[in-house]
Amino acid sequence: MGKPKVATVWLEGCSGCHMSFLDLDEGLLDILNSVVLTTTPITDFKDFDFEEVDLGIVEGAIGNTEQEEIVKELRQKCKILMAWGDCAVFGGINVLRNWIPKEEVLRRGFLETESTVDGVIPDDEELPALLDKVLPVNAVVPVDAYVPGCPPSPEAIAFALKEILEGRIPILPADMIHFD
């Protein structure tokens, strides 16, 4: 069997989870020697025409139609889907907009800010539409493994990836889970 193929995506979030992944330092080399990274923001791929992969990893919540399509496509192309970080697992800070109608969010963001002059709400058909609510990944597709945290520690990410490489679905020990 060849090296497992891994695709990662960064949706509505800050990239902190991918930064934690990169913070594995020397441990990153061991993991990268054991897998083939296909689509990932680390290599600056922007084409989400995923090939079949063993592991799909999602960072970030789902807040627009493009992100919804990306996560559905990744789910179809991966054997195991892992959610990294509080945004992917719970929706994270992004869900703060769920208490405000999206029309009001757009109006405030593009028309009513104190620095806005002649604002316009973008409506180009190529722009993905905001969903009514920001969603965690498992509200859109089934998720097999969760690595919560904001961001999850590099140790938690390493643990989860090593478990996958050993053929197990990771269940993080309690001392690896933090919510700070």
Side-chain angles (χ1 to χ4, degrees):
M1 179 177 137
K3 293 180 178 179
K5 292 181 179 178
V6 178
T8 76
V9 294
W10 165 24
L11 303 179
E12 195 162 302
C14 68
S15 83
C17 302
H18 278 85
M19 294 296 109
S20 273
F21 177 58
L22 295 176
D23 282 344
L24 287 169
D25 299 324
E26 298 85 23
L28 182 60
L29 296 176
D30 293 336
I31 290 172
L32 291 178
N33 282 329
S34 303
V35 302
V36 175
L37 276 181
T38 59
T39 303
T40 175
I42 294 170
T43 55
D44 202 27
F45 273 84
K46 294 182 177 64
D47 178 2
F48 294 107
D49 186 21
F50 300 104
E51 61 181 277
E52 299 286 333
V53 295
D54 298 288
L55 176 62
I57 298 172
V58 179
E59 171 187 355
I62 301 165
N64 67 42
T65 54
E66 179 183 47
Q67 295 163 347
E68 187 176 37
E69 287 176 31
I70 289 169
V71 78
K72 286 179 179 177
E73 177 74 16
L74 181 57
R75 176 72 266 190
Q76 287 180 344
K77 298 290 179 76
C78 70
K79 296 174 184 166
I80 298 169
L81 186 66
M82 183 185 298
W84 272 359
D86 287 353
C87 296
V89 174
F90 307 113
I93 194 168
N94 307 294
V95 299
L96 289 175
R97 85 160 167 92
N98 288 353
W99 287 272
I100 306 168
K102 70 178 177 183
E103 294 77 17
E104 188 176 331
V105 169
L106 291 168
R107 190 177 61 248
R108 174 69 182 141
F110 292 98
L111 302 177
E112 300 173 347
T113 66
E114 288 69 18
S115 61
T116 299
V117 177
D118 300 328
V120 175
I121 296 175
D123 64 351
D124 191 296
E125 65 186 37
E126 290 190 19
L127 293 174
L130 283 183
L131 299 178
D132 290 333
K133 303 282 185 190
V134 176
L135 304 168
V137 175
N138 69 359
V140 178
V141 295
V143 173
D144 302 300
Y146 298 88
V147 185
C150 185
S153 68
E155 294 77 20
I157 289 173
F159 175 86
L161 291 173
K162 288 176 183 173
E163 287 289 290
I164 294 286
L165 289 171
E166 294 292 324
R168 297 183 290 264
I169 297 295
I171 299 173
L172 292 181
D175 63 345
M176 282 191 178
I177 299 174
H178 67 94
F179 299 96
D180 53 351

